Amino acid sequence: RKTDPVSAEKIEQFLGNFSPHFILNMVHSADEIKEGDTLKTAARELLGIEIDYIGFVEYDDSVRNSVKALKPFILSDPKSRASKSLARLISVGLLGRKGWSGFKEKRKVLRNITSEAANYPHTDLKENSTICSVQCFYWGDCEYQNGGYPCPIRHLDPIFRR
């Protein structure tokens, strides 16, 4: 405030409107679900920040398989536990739908995801591999730089360009 009162005012205004939300990921049990409330309390008491605990995504082996296939888990297996958890978070946690309305919205989200999965480009990295190198136009910005090996990012180009 002493150095730059105008900037201080902007920062205070931003922080006054700052309302982070969080989701627990890879939840195995009901006890782990409670950790969301614990984290919310810790943030308030230790950091003075109010955070909103939206919910959780259940642990699901299909997520690991999706990562290996470089395809979003919700598109790889829309009927998996993790996909259903995410659909519930979207309909209830983000859209605020509850009860019958929430149930219908969750089903709608899953239907839309299933139809989107059919349009998701399939790439076999072994057959269609772009090798990671300094020649790539992403090289300076890419956090996955892995020179000489198949690029884990470039297969997404068709998605970003459609």
Side-chain angles (χ1 to χ4, degrees):
R1 189 164 283 292
K2 288 179 186 177
T3 305
D4 189 348
V6 174
S7 294
E9 184 67 34
K10 289 180 181 179
I11 291 170
E12 286 176 359
Q13 184 178 15
F14 173 78
L15 291 176
N17 295 328
F18 183 63
S19 177
H21 298 58
F22 76 98
I23 296 169
L24 289 180
N25 193 16
M26 296 177 45
V27 171
H28 286 275
S29 66
D31 287 340
E32 289 184 354
I33 296 170
K34 296 174 189 173
E35 291 176 10
D37 292 324
T38 303
L39 185 59
K40 182 177 178 174
T41 302
R44 182 178 55 249
E45 292 177 2
L46 300 173
L47 303 174
I49 298 173
E50 289 295 328
I51 58 177
D52 188 16
Y53 173 39
I54 297 175
F56 62 93
V57 175
E58 292 182 58
Y59 177 83
D60 192 332
D61 286 329
S62 70
V63 175
R64 181 181 173 94
N65 298 335
S66 295
V67 170
K68 286 181 178 182
L70 299 173
K71 186 173 182 180
F73 71 88
I74 199 159
L75 295 178
S76 288
D77 190 359
K79 295 182 179 181
S80 70
R81 288 189 325 254
S83 295
K84 289 178 181 178
S85 293
L86 189 56
R88 182 180 58 246
L89 283 170
I90 292 168
S91 62
V92 177
L94 298 177
L95 298 176
R97 306 283 169 79
K98 301 205 185 291
W100 180 248
S101 175
F103 175 77
K104 288 191 317 186
E105 188 66 34
K106 176 183 159 190
R107 300 231 357 174
K108 179 180 173 187
V109 168
L110 286 172
R111 266 195 320 274
N112 290 342
I113 288 166
T114 301
S115 68
E116 214 25 64
N119 298 326
Y120 193 85
H122 175 73
T123 56
D124 184 1
L125 288 179
K126 293 175 187 161
E127 293 176 11
N128 188 14
S129 296
T130 301
I131 302 300
C132 186
S133 76
V134 294
Q135 301 300 318
C136 178
F137 55 89
Y138 295 124
W139 184 261
D141 298 321
C142 184
E143 62 188 65
Y144 300 101
Q145 291 177 7
N146 196 14
Y149 291 95
C151 179
I153 301 300
R154 292 291 298 275
H155 73 286
L156 297 173
D157 280 348
I159 297 165
F160 293 132
R161 292 182 184 172
R162 65 176 183 168

